[in-house]
Amino acid sequence: QKEVEQDPGPLSVPEGAIVSLNCTYSNSAFQYFMWYRQYSRKGPELLMYTYSSGNKEDGRFTAQVDKSSKYISLFIRDSQPSDSATYLCAMQDTGFQKLVFGTGTRLLVSP
Amino acid sequence: GAGVSQSPSNKVTEKGKDVELRCDPISGHTALYWYRQSLGQGLEFLIYFQGNSAPDKSGLPSDRFSAERTGGSVSTLTIQRTQQEDSAVYLCASSSRQGRYEQYFGPGTRLTVT
């Protein structure tokens, strides 16, 4: 079993929809939780990060972490065609420098 | 400012040949990471450099893989005697010491071993 599980999709939604992307994990030592966006043939771009449990909002994006359930989410409001990309969750233990990534969810937002 | 740059952007090589991949981190970033992204596998950690400390090589898949970082800046990832399973996108990232969880990625080098 992988440390971080993420549904690969694709997830297809119409423009304006609310999108929910999720990851589950098994390592209770993870303290930092990140979401990256990756366009085709580009490097991942950091969207948001959260320390420990709780919510964080940035514009149309909201990240949630529930450490008791080992479950993290990224919500995208008023989705746009330009949001079409692969979204990768990543996690880090405070004792280690490497990020552990999910496999990514491909999102398609149609006009 | 300039982001992380990597070269070449694409590399096609024959099985058994050696390849070198280069990474230029963001100026002032002391930490540098290499990851590998294979189709359907997500990003896999390879190696981490922090300042003058000994690198964390725990993710290197075999002794055919090595990396060095000269002068605390540019890094080179070398793959010797390439195999077809080495085909992947090799991504470099850097971060400041304070924001190590905020890793900024380059565009990657797409390696194809024929």
Side-chain angles (χ1 to χ4, degrees), chain B residues 12-62:
Chain B
V12 180
T13 190
E14 292 180 352
K15 178 182 172 181
K17 300 284 189 183
D18 298 351
V19 295
E20 286 189 351
L21 312 179
R22 176 188 168 102
C23 171
D24 271 285
I26 293 172
S27 178
H29 279 190
T30 57
L32 186 148
Y33 313 78
W34 284 97
Y35 293 85
R36 177 169 70 175
Q37 187 172 30
S38 304
L39 195 62
Q41 297 297 314
L43 275 78
E44 171 192 15
F45 167 78
L46 296 177
I47 189 169
Y48 157 70
F49 296 90
Q50 172 59 56
N52 295 321
S53 302
D56 175 358
K57 305 179 182 180
S58 60
L60 295 179
S62 78

Side-chain angles (χ1 to χ4, degrees), chain A residues 36 38 41 92 97 99, chain B residues 35 37 48 100 103 110:
Chain A
Y36 282 82
Q38 186 175 26
R41 295 187 173 264
Q92 187 184 50
Q97 302 300 322
L99 297 181
Chain B
Y35 293 85
Q37 187 172 30
Y48 157 70
R100 62 186 183 276
Q103 296 183 17
R110 184 173 298 272

Side-chain angles (χ1 to χ4, degrees), chain A residues 15-75:
Chain A
E15 183 176 356
I18 297 175
V19 174
S20 172
L21 303 166
N22 312 292
C23 289
T24 59
Y25 63 95
S26 57
N27 187 347
S28 57
F30 288 142
Q31 294 288 339
Y32 292 95
F33 303 90
M34 280 69 70
W35 285 96
Y36 282 82
R37 177 175 63 194
Q38 186 175 26
Y39 292 111
S40 180
R41 295 187 173 264
K42 301 288 186 183
E45 169 195 11
L46 180 64
L47 273 179
M48 298 184 72
Y49 69 90
T50 310
Y51 172 71
S52 195
S53 286
N55 294 358
K56 188 172 185 179
E57 186 174 324
D58 184 1
R60 297 186 294 111
F61 299 89
T62 300
Q64 287 186 352
V65 175
D66 181 349
K67 291 191 68 180
S68 63
S69 301
K70 297 189 178 67
Y71 187 88
I72 71 170
S73 300
L74 177 70
F75 297 96

Side-chain angles (χ1 to χ4, degrees), chain B residues 33-111:
Chain B
Y33 313 78
W34 284 97
Y35 293 85
R36 177 169 70 175
Q37 187 172 30
S38 304
L39 195 62
Q41 297 297 314
L43 275 78
E44 171 192 15
F45 167 78
L46 296 177
I47 189 169
Y48 157 70
F49 296 90
Q50 172 59 56
N52 295 321
S53 302
D56 175 358
K57 305 179 182 180
S58 60
L60 295 179
S62 78
D63 58 8
R64 295 187 295 105
F65 288 73
S66 63
E68 63 177 17
R69 189 178 184 192
T70 53
S73 181
V74 171
S75 176
T76 302
L77 177 69
T78 301
I79 309 174
Q80 295 179 310
R81 305 180 302 282
T82 52
Q83 303 295 311
Q84 288 188 330
E85 60 263 29
D86 298 334
S87 296
V89 177
Y90 290 81
L91 290 156
C92 175
S94 70
S95 70
S96 64
R97 183 66 179 94
Q98 293 76 16
R100 62 186 183 276
Y101 43 83
E102 296 182 73
Q103 296 183 17
Y104 296 89
F105 284 81
T109 294
R110 184 173 298 272
L111 175 65

Side-chain angles (χ1 to χ4, degrees), chain A residues 88-103:
Chain A
L88 299 149
C89 63
M91 307 179 188
Q92 187 184 50
D93 178 357
T94 51
F96 297 92
Q97 302 300 322
K98 69 175 184 179
L99 297 181
V100 180
F101 282 85
T103 53

